[in-house]
Amino acid sequence: MSVNSVNILLIEDNPAEARLLQELLKQASHTCFRWTCQSRLQAAIAILNEQSFDVILLDLTLPDSQGLESLTAIARVRPQVPIVVLTNTDDDDLALEAMRTGAQDYLFKRQANTELLARSVRYAIERKQASEAVRQAKEELEQRVHERTAELARTNRQLQREVRDRQRIQQALIREKELAQVTLHSIGDAVIATDANGRIQSLNPVAETLTGWKSNAAQGHSLDTVLRLWDEATHTPVQDLLEQVLRHGVALDPSERRLVGANETQEFFVELSAAPIRLDDGDIVGGVLVCRDVTPARSLAQQLSWQACHDALTGLPNRREFEHRLEAAIANSRLTKTTHVLCYLDLDRFKVVNDTCGHMAGDELLRHMSALLQHHTPNADLLARLGGDEFALLLHHCSLDDAQEKVQELIERIRTFRFVWDDSTFTVGASAGLVEINAQTDSWAHVLSAADTAMYAAKDAGRNRLQIYQSDDHDIVQRHGDMQWVSRIVKALEDDRFCLYAQRIIPADPQRRSRDRYEILLRLQDEDGNIVSPGAFMPAAERYDLMPAIDRWVVRQLFSQLRHLPEQWEQPKPLYMVNLSGASFNDERFLAFLREQFWLHHIAPSMICFEITETVAISNINQAVQFIYQLKQLGCCFALDDFGSGMSSLNYLKNLPVDYLKIDGHFIRNVEHDAIDAATIEAINHMGHVMGLQTIAEFVENPAILQKVQHLGVDFVQGYGIARPEPLTVPKFAPSRNRSRPRKNRPAVTPKTPKAAEVVSLPQLTASGYPKFQPMGDSVAPTEG
């Protein structure tokens, strides 16, 4: 091996990791590394028998050998070649055993970099060379002493010759000492040599740096004076380190200690090993201590450990660390019967800053808020950032009343804080939820969920306030149930577990010829396969802004089924009435989505009627008019659902270009007994006809109601007395032609539950004139009438 050239045998079965190691060493300066790679142990042994190498990099996990058996086999073939063990296993015991077995170093692959890898290779070679040099020097010295002693015995009478021989021996010893000194100066570990009494004889340059002592100044001093060590585990000084070595000749295995330099300004972490120096007769004449500086590796490990449990933006403990500490607090409460309090805190109006000034401003605001909260949080308590603009505060050994006072003070400080960014000044607030932790507390997940629920209850109550979680609080229990529904709804969307139902709408006059009409309804299939009605999950979907996603799923699913209906169908085409939520109705992107779905699935717009509630339409009358007009231009029609539920709707109706009025079921249910409801229905029906609109009576549940609304002149009827909702299915054939002929003497409608074929087999759309395209897309959420 030349000074600038190292011949390496890499034994590694992972080509990617082999290339990575080569690339790392290519970047090393001053040294050229030449590679020979083998993926199996037997192949490596074969090439070792044929070629020589300066160093071996050995992976302990090979296809034909595992663990330290590979190291033993390689060391047996080439004991003189230094070996560096590579592994992905963070196992201190394995590392220690590898060094005992003969490895010069032990590296974790994921921590390898150019500097660390190159240094490890060089140090392994240097340590091996030093070891070989010392061994050879010792053997040569022993041999020379033996020879000279025998010669002196034989030539005892020749004093002059004995003097000359001794001079030659002395010169040889000087040369050997110089060689040993050069070797000690060239290696990267600190080496300290002592006499049999533990008095220092020499330090190499690395040892001088670690201890702060020069070698000549340290000579004659005790080891404890020069090398001041503290045990990392017990934080106590280590005394008489070489006592076992010098007194009993027992070598010290490598172990980590903390070392402080003589000037007490530097601190190192070192790995120590020690061994006795013996003469041929076994007498111990001194000891040698080797210290390896592992400070950089320890610093890196500490940094990674800190990053794993702290938030990078604010430096506060992260969610993972907080959950761990919260679990410990719960265990403490159960053991000691003490009380702690968890505060879940969310910033109000943070989104305004983030959206107005960008994420850099949002990050800076979070740093300011973290500093403010941390400044007013006692050291005994724990403040953490859980993510986004959400923080958590764990108040140890604190009553709920005291916690309420402390958190209220924090909320007030946040409210009075002013955040300045460029030329803008912002105020933010905070909403907080408090939960008591006591001996009856279930789990950290339950506590966090309860605090989160209380925090959202505080936001609903007006923000900038706190809410204490009470298990019997109806609003909090309701919100908690809604939040549980949120995850179930999202999972149902991901798993495609929503399903469409259809309910028939028929003319009130049994003699009237009319196209078929159906209202499309939504159901959810839960995790156990049970069908859940919309009343259970719709409130949560509306409250947590999930309706746009559900609406899009309904449109996509309905259109994708209708596009597969037979193309030969009678005229007029059937009409499908689809409910729209207020969130989708007010979403500017939803109109573009609908246009896309009509185009992709080849659906004739004249087959679709969108239903919106009067409350949604009237809340934004101008936008409602524009939205309805644009879809009517495509050929769709509109129904105003739950009409009559708000008296103001009468003033706005003439401005809404709708086609149907669906009379609120509240009036229909009692029409046979309530004259006022009957008069209201009659008025709505008359007004609708004057405006050219058709009316639909919902919740027609029995023959008496049907007869009453027929008498009042309503155009269409819908309800359980007419037809129950059934799963939407697509017929596989076109109806016979005679279905399109005029139906004479059609019998009167008798309210009953229809047969499955009456509802399940829905009419088909003729898609002629539309080009063929592949479907794509996103979904409209109905409620049942």
Side-chain angles (χ1 to χ4, degrees):
M1 179 195 76
S2 66
V3 176
N4 296 319
S5 176
V6 177
N7 190 12
I8 299 175
L9 173 60
L10 172 61
I11 307 174
E12 169 62 64
D13 65 326
N14 189 323
E17 294 184 345
R19 287 195 298 272
L20 175 61
L21 294 171
Q22 296 179 46
E23 290 299 324
L24 289 175
L25 286 181
K26 282 182 181 179
Q27 302 173 18
S29 58
H30 309 303
T31 304
C32 174
F33 295 92
R34 292 180 289 107
W35 292 85
T36 299
C37 297
Q38 293 295 332
S39 61
R40 295 180 177 271
L41 178 64
Q42 294 306 318
I45 292 175
I47 199 171
L48 280 171
N49 289 325
E50 299 173 359
Q51 300 182 30
S52 61
F53 296 89
D54 299 316
V55 66
I56 298 171
L57 301 183
L58 174 62
D59 181 12
L60 290 183
T61 305
L62 298 172
D64 58 341
S65 180
Q66 296 288 323
L68 296 180
E69 295 178 359
S70 304
L71 176 60
T72 303
I74 293 296
R76 188 184 302 117
V77 176
R78 281 287 186 268
Q80 73 280 9
V81 180
I83 302 173
V84 177
V85 170
L86 304 174
T87 182
N88 283 319
T89 304
D90 189 3
D91 189 339
D92 291 339
D93 293 337
L94 179 61
L96 181 60
E97 192 62 28
M99 300 298 288
R100 290 175 177 172
T101 306
Q104 270 62 51
D105 208 345
Y106 187 93
L107 291 180
F108 300 114
K109 295 180 185 178
R110 63 175 179 272
Q111 297 177 354
N113 54 46
T114 298
E115 180 183 359
L116 180 61
L117 187 58
R119 184 174 62 185
S120 179
V121 170
R122 288 196 297 270
Y123 285 0
I125 296 173
E126 290 168 357
R127 284 195 293 272
K128 193 68 175 182
Q129 290 175 342
S131 176
E132 287 296 316
V134 171
R135 184 185 61 79
Q136 291 176 7
K138 181 180 178 181
E139 291 176 356
E140 291 180 8
L141 179 61
E142 291 174 348
Q143 181 64 26
R144 288 171 184 262
V145 170
H146 179 74
E147 292 174 355
R148 293 298 181 265
T149 302
E151 187 176 350
L152 287 174
R154 290 192 303 269
T155 61
N156 187 38
R157 298 175 184 178
Q158 301 176 6
L159 181 59
Q160 191 65 35
R161 182 179 179 182
E162 183 184 47
V163 171
R164 290 195 299 269
D165 289 342
R166 288 182 179 274
Q167 288 176 343
R168 287 194 297 269
I169 293 173
Q170 185 177 9
Q171 291 174 357
L173 289 173
I174 291 173
R175 288 194 299 271
E176 297 298 338
K177 181 178 179 180
E178 290 176 349
L179 176 61
Q181 290 294 333
V182 170
T183 302
L184 291 175
H185 279 65
S186 64
I187 66 175
D189 293 339
V191 180
I192 302 175
T194 72
D195 60 17
N197 296 317
R199 300 289 175 178
I200 292 178
Q201 291 185 327
S202 66
L203 308 176
N204 74 341
V206 178
E208 292 179 341
T209 301
L210 283 175
T211 62
W213 285 72
K214 291 296 183 181
S215 181
N216 55 358
Q219 288 179 1
H221 287 279
S222 66
L223 181 63
D224 294 339
T225 302
V226 176
L227 185 65
R228 296 190 290 171
L229 297 175
W230 278 261
D231 188 282
E232 186 180 10
T234 63
H235 300 285
T236 58
V238 178
Q239 303 289 338
D240 301 326
L241 185 63
L242 290 181
E243 181 180 1
Q244 294 295 323
V245 175
L246 298 177
R247 179 175 299 179
H248 304 292
V250 178
L252 292 181
D253 294 331
S255 59
E256 287 191 7
R257 299 287 191 276
R258 185 172 65 175
L259 167 67
V260 179
N263 55 10
E264 298 187 1
T265 60
Q266 288 182 295
E267 184 174 282
F268 304 91
F269 284 92
V270 295
E271 186 179 83
L272 301 176
S273 59
I277 300 175
R278 300 177 183 271
L279 295 179
D280 289 343
D281 58 3
D283 290 341
I284 298 174
V285 297
V288 59
L289 182 71
V290 180
C291 303
R292 181 185 178 192
D293 185 6
V294 295
T295 306
R298 286 294 301 271
S299 298
L300 178 60
Q302 291 173 351
Q303 180 183 359
L304 293 175
S305 177
W306 188 90
Q307 291 175 349
C309 57
H310 285 80
D311 173 51
L313 178 64
T314 63
L316 296 175
N318 58 16
R319 175 180 284 272
R320 175 185 175 187
E321 176 67 11
F322 185 80
E323 290 173 353
H324 176 72
R325 302 273 287 273
L326 178 60
E327 188 174 19
I330 294 173
N332 174 263
S333 288
R334 294 171 182 168
L335 183 65
T336 64
K337 309 302 181 184
T338 55
T339 299
H340 314 293
V341 175
L342 168 64
C343 170
Y344 199 108
L345 189 144
D346 184 270
L347 298 181
D348 298 329
R349 297 182 295 279
F350 170 77
K351 191 173 186 297
V352 174
V353 178
N354 216 39
D355 293 347
T356 304
C357 302
H359 292 293
M360 291 183 62
D363 290 347
E364 186 63 22
L365 174 58
L366 289 174
R367 281 190 284 265
H368 279 288
M369 285 292 102
S370 300
L372 185 150
L373 292 171
Q374 200 166 20
H375 179 72
H376 296 285
T377 299
N379 293 333
D381 299 326
L382 176 64
L383 175 67
R385 181 189 177 206
L386 302 186
D389 59 342
E390 297 176 346
F391 297 85
L393 181 61
L394 183 57
L395 302 171
H396 291 94
H397 306 288
C398 182
S399 68
L400 201 55
D401 291 339
D402 291 341
Q404 185 174 358
E405 182 178 344
K406 292 178 181 180
V407 174
Q408 189 61 54
E409 181 180 350
L410 284 178
I411 292 175
E412 182 62 23
R413 292 184 182 277
I414 294 173
R415 187 186 66 81
T416 58
F417 175 78
R418 298 294 180 267
F419 177 67
V420 179
W421 184 265
D422 292 337
D423 297 330
S424 302
T425 301
F426 298 91
T427 61
V428 294
S431 300
L434 272 63
V435 179
E436 183 182 71
I437 299 172
N438 51 42
Q440 287 73 44
T441 298
D442 185 11
S443 66
W444 64 264
H446 179 268
V447 172
L448 270 179
S449 176
D452 186 41
T453 301
M455 181 271 292
Y456 276 107
K459 283 188 178 292
D460 288 347
R463 302 176 182 266
N464 216 37
R465 65 190 65 208
L466 64 84
Q467 175 72 45
I468 298 176
Y469 179 84
Q470 301 290 344
S471 60
D472 57 350
D473 189 313
H474 178 270
D475 292 338
I476 290 182
V477 171
Q478 178 64 37
R479 171 170 285 280
H480 188 67
D482 287 351
M483 294 178 68
Q484 291 180 328
W485 265 115
V486 168
S487 60
R488 296 182 65 185
I489 292 171
V490 172
K491 192 69 169 62
L493 286 170
E494 293 175 351
D495 298 342
D496 201 27
R497 284 191 283 104
F498 282 102
C499 47
L500 296 182
Y501 275 55
Q503 186 176 34
R504 185 184 293 276
I505 301 172
I506 66 173
D509 180 2
Q511 302 301 321
R512 177 178 176 177
R513 294 173 51 199
S514 176
R515 66 194 297 190
D516 291 329
R517 289 173 175 81
Y518 302 91
E519 180 176 0
I520 300 301
L521 306 172
L522 185 65
R523 300 291 186 269
L524 184 149
Q525 188 177 39
D526 67 13
E527 296 81 355
D528 299 324
N530 301 315
I531 298 300
V532 181
S533 64
F537 59 84
M538 282 297 183
E542 292 171 348
R543 188 168 196 170
Y544 292 98
D545 199 27
L546 294 175
M547 288 307 303
I550 295 177
D551 287 353
R552 289 170 181 254
W553 184 92
V554 171
V555 169
R556 282 199 310 266
Q557 187 68 16
L558 174 63
F559 284 17
S560 65
Q561 291 196 42
L562 293 181
R563 75 188 301 268
H564 295 298
L565 289 169
E567 295 194 6
Q568 297 78 25
W569 203 273
E570 83 282 5
Q571 297 292 340
K573 301 182 182 71
L575 182 69
Y576 303 98
M577 308 188 80
V578 182
N579 291 267
L580 283 184
S581 68
S584 296
F585 190 73
N586 294 315
D587 185 355
E588 297 178 354
R589 298 168 296 179
F590 191 71
L591 183 61
F593 165 76
L594 289 177
R595 293 178 185 272
E596 177 191 47
Q597 294 302 305
F598 278 119
W599 180 61
L600 290 175
H601 295 289
H602 324 139
I603 305 301
S606 60
M607 296 182 63
I608 304 299
C609 176
F610 291 109
E611 292 188 25
I612 57 171
T613 64
E614 64 162 337
T615 305
V616 170
I618 294 170
S619 63
N620 193 342
I621 187 69
N622 292 329
Q623 181 173 342
V625 171
Q626 292 296 323
F627 186 89
I628 294 172
Y629 267 127
Q630 291 187 65
L631 284 179
K632 286 179 71 69
Q633 287 178 352
L634 291 180
C636 301
C637 57
F638 269 84
L640 198 59
D641 199 8
D642 297 337
F643 187 79
S645 59
M647 293 303 296
S648 60
S649 58
L650 300 175
N651 298 323
Y652 291 98
L653 181 59
K654 61 183 179 181
N655 296 317
L656 290 172
V658 297
D659 304 279
Y660 295 91
L661 293 181
K662 297 192 77 171
I663 303 172
D664 192 343
H666 173 75
F667 303 113
I668 304 299
R669 285 194 180 100
N670 301 317
V671 65
E672 56 181 314
H673 307 295
D674 194 319
I676 296 177
D677 285 346
T680 303
I681 296 171
E682 185 176 22
I684 293 173
N685 185 68
H686 176 70
M687 181 177 58
H689 287 171
V690 169
M691 298 180 65
L693 309 180
Q694 299 189 75
T695 55
I696 302 175
E698 301 178 292
F699 294 96
V700 177
E701 298 176 350
N702 55 57
I705 295 177
L706 174 62
Q707 184 177 3
K708 187 67 176 179
V709 296
Q710 286 175 331
H711 176 73
L712 293 174
V714 173
D715 296 304
F716 296 95
V717 291
Q718 173 186 2
Y720 278 21
I722 305 302
R724 288 183 174 270
E726 295 287 344
L728 175 66
T729 59
V730 178
K732 303 301 182 183
F733 56 88
S736 61
R737 292 184 178 274
N738 60 8
R739 177 169 177 141
S740 61
R741 298 173 183 172
R743 289 174 285 184
K744 299 180 180 179
N745 299 323
R746 180 175 176 181
V749 175
T750 301
K752 63 183 182 66
T753 301
K755 297 179 181 178
E758 293 179 303
V759 177
V760 175
S761 300
L762 299 184
Q764 161 62 16
L765 154 70
T766 300
S768 60
Y770 285 92
K772 299 278 185 186
F773 292 98
Q774 293 298 321
M776 60 180 287
D778 282 341
S779 292
V780 175
T783 56
E784 183 176 318

